[in-house]
Structures are given as structure tokens and as C-alpha cells.
């Protein structure tokens, strides 16, 4: 006998971000010091947002990615390590961040290594151009606000303040995509599980009959 244990991905922007920053520590935020620390913290948050956003389209089926991909914590971890090394190198050479290189290594090499559909790769590159770009360092960038402060708890409080249910537009989808998702979710809940015995009676009657038999067996033993 064996037990299979799976780690299901979080659902929702706030939940995924909370899981990411539960994995990150204060040492991660302080990995780069000096004037580049603000750049590092901003890029770390931008990458975490992108990691969150590319996981959300899975629940929308083909409206999101044509093929569902299992982007994991390992992809995020490897991308964080690359960005940290990149900032360290360019900082030592007194050069700015090379955004095209960051985009290519994260979107085409790390995450893109799992993508097999050309349109999905184009979509992922679009996400990369939105999140991994120089404009995230500008004060007028309004998609997310980088918390002021270097304490990890400041980021936790910021994440807890995000909406519990987000608009599909955050993934670049129309608001009707949420209707499709809710309809499919309701259908999955109301449809009897395939593992249930193929009884002709409705699931509710089958469940009630099982409950009655169980109660009778308990009363007989008592």
C-alpha cells in the first residue's frame, strides 16, 4: 500500500504571492546591499508577480494557455538566482540592468523551456515585457506598488491587503473568462465523480442510502 501526496498550487493572486513570500526570507531581500538593493527588491517583487500571473491562466483552460504548464517553485527559484547574479555583475561594472537579457533568460530559457506551443510562448513573452522591463522602476508604474521598507513583514502586510478575488484582466483576459471558469467549476462540483459506482439513481439518493445502511450497521452492533 502506498499514499500519493501532491502539493496543489494556490488559487488567486494574493494566495500565490503569499505562498511565494512565505518561502522567501529576510536574507533573500538583503542578498544585495547598497544602492542596488532597491532595484533588487523591485525586480524580486515583479518576478513574483509574473510567476503568479502565469499560473492563473491555467484555471481558464484554453482561454489562458493553449496547453496547461506546470510552472513550479523551482522555475521561480532559478530565475531569482539568475537575477541576483545579474545585478551583482552589472553593479560591479557600474552598468544598468540589461533588461533584454533578463527577459530572454527568464521567459525563453527558464520558464520557456517548458512551453511547447508557439502562441503560448508569445503570450509568455508578453507577460515578460510587462513585468520585466525598466518601467517597473519608474515612480509612475501603477500596476503594483513596491512597499517602502526592507523588512519582510512589510511585504506580508502589503500582500494581505490585496483583493481576495481578482479580475481576469490581470492575466490579460476579458472579464467573461471568469464566467467560463465559474461555469466549469460548478459543473465539476455537481457532476458525480467518475470513481463513484455507476448507479442509475442520482448521487444524492445514493449517498442517502449509504448513510442509512451505515446507521443500521452501527445500531445492530450496538
Amino acid at each position: 500500500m502506498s499514499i500519493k501526496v501532491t502539493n496543489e498550487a494556490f488559487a488567486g493572486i494574493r494566495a500565490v504571492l503569499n505562498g511565494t513570500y512565505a518561502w522567501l526570507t529576510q536574507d533573500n531581500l538583503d542578498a544585495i546591499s547598497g544602492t542596488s538593493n532597491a532595484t533588487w527588491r523591485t525586480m524580486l517583487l515583479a518576478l513574483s508577480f509574473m510567476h503568479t500571473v502565469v499560473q492563473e491562466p491555467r484555471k481558464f483552460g484554453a482561454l489562458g494557455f493553449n496547453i496547461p504548464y506546470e510552472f513550479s517553485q523551482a522555475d521561480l527559484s532559478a530565475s531569482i538566482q539568475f537575477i541576483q547574479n545579474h545585478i551583482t555583475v552589472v553593479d560591479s561594472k557600474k552598468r544598468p540592468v540589461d533588461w533584454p537579457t533578463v527577459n530572454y533568460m527568464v521567459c525563453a530559457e527558464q520558464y520557456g523551456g517548458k512551453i511547447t506551443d508557439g502562441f503560448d510562448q508569445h503570450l509568455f513573452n508578453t507577460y515578460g515585457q510587462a513585468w520585466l522591463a525598466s518601467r517597473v522602476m519608474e515612480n509612475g508604474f501603477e500596476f503594483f506598488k513596491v512597499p517602502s521598507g526592507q523588512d519582510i513583514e512589510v511585504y506580508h502586510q502589503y500582500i494581505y491587503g490585496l483583493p481576495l478575488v481578482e479580475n481576469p484582466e490581470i492575466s490579460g483576459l476579458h472579464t467573461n473568462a471568469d464566467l467560463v471558469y465559474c461555469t466549469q467549476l460548478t459543473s465539476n462540483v455537481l457532476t458525480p465523480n467518475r470513481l463513484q459506482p455507476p448507479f442509475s439513481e442520482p448521487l444524492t439518493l445514493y449517498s442517502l442510502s449509504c448513510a442509512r445502511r451505515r446507521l443500521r450497521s452501527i445500531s445492530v452492533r450496538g
Side-chain angles (χ1 to χ4, degrees):
M1 179 181 293
S2 63
I3 299 176
K4 181 179 180 181
V5 179
T6 61
N7 185 13
E8 293 293 335
F10 296 102
I13 300 297
R14 190 175 78 171
V16 178
L17 266 180
N18 186 45
T20 298
Y21 272 83
W23 168 74
L24 294 173
T25 64
Q26 186 65 47
D27 291 337
N28 293 116
L29 293 183
D30 299 336
I32 295 179
S33 58
T35 57
S36 297
N37 180 260
T39 302
W40 161 243
R41 288 187 289 109
T42 301
M43 293 185 67
L44 186 60
L45 181 60
L47 180 62
S48 300
F49 257 98
M50 193 190 77
H51 177 73
T52 301
V53 168
V54 298
Q55 293 186 76
E56 282 300 290
R58 290 183 302 181
K59 71 180 185 181
F60 300 113
L63 293 178
F65 288 108
N66 291 326
I67 301 173
Y69 303 99
E70 294 296 330
F71 300 122
S72 64
Q73 192 74 35
D75 299 317
L76 177 63
S77 177
S79 299
I80 288 176
Q81 187 62 54
F82 165 75
I83 291 179
Q84 179 181 340
N85 295 340
H86 179 75
I87 294 179
T88 302
V89 171
V90 298
D91 191 43
S92 64
K93 297 180 179 179
K94 306 299 180 182
R95 293 167 49 191
V97 174
D98 189 346
W99 292 101
T101 299
V102 173
N103 264 275
Y104 178 79
M105 291 301 297
V106 173
C107 300
E109 290 295 328
Q110 187 56 51
Y111 286 88
K114 295 182 177 180
I115 300 177
T116 56
D117 184 86
F119 288 104
D120 289 342
Q121 183 64 66
H122 180 69
L123 174 61
F124 200 101
N125 292 340
T126 303
Y127 285 139
Q129 293 170 7
W131 296 106
L132 302 178
S134 59
R135 63 194 185 98
V136 301
M137 307 300 302
E138 300 173 357
N139 294 329
F141 187 71
E142 297 293 342
F143 202 93
F144 65 84
K145 180 181 178 182
V146 180
S148 58
Q150 300 182 2
D151 190 3
I152 191 69
E153 288 301 323
V154 175
Y155 288 82
H156 290 164
Q157 295 174 7
Y158 166 73
I159 293 171
Y160 288 141
L162 295 175
L164 185 60
V165 179
E166 68 282 346
N167 195 303
E169 291 180 352
I170 197 172
S171 299
L173 301 175
H174 193 272
T175 52
N176 287 342
D178 200 42
L179 295 177
V180 177
Y181 166 68
C182 292
T183 302
Q184 183 63 40
L185 183 63
T186 303
S187 176
N188 292 338
V189 171
L190 297 180
T191 301
N193 195 304
R194 295 180 181 177
L195 297 180
Q196 293 283 2
F199 281 77
S200 59
E201 56 182 339
L203 179 62
T204 52
L205 296 180
Y206 171 71
S207 302
L208 287 174
S209 65
C210 289
R212 292 193 187 99
R213 289 197 299 270
R214 179 62 176 165
L215 289 174
R216 282 197 296 268
S217 65
I218 294 176
S219 61
V220 170
R221 288 199 301 267

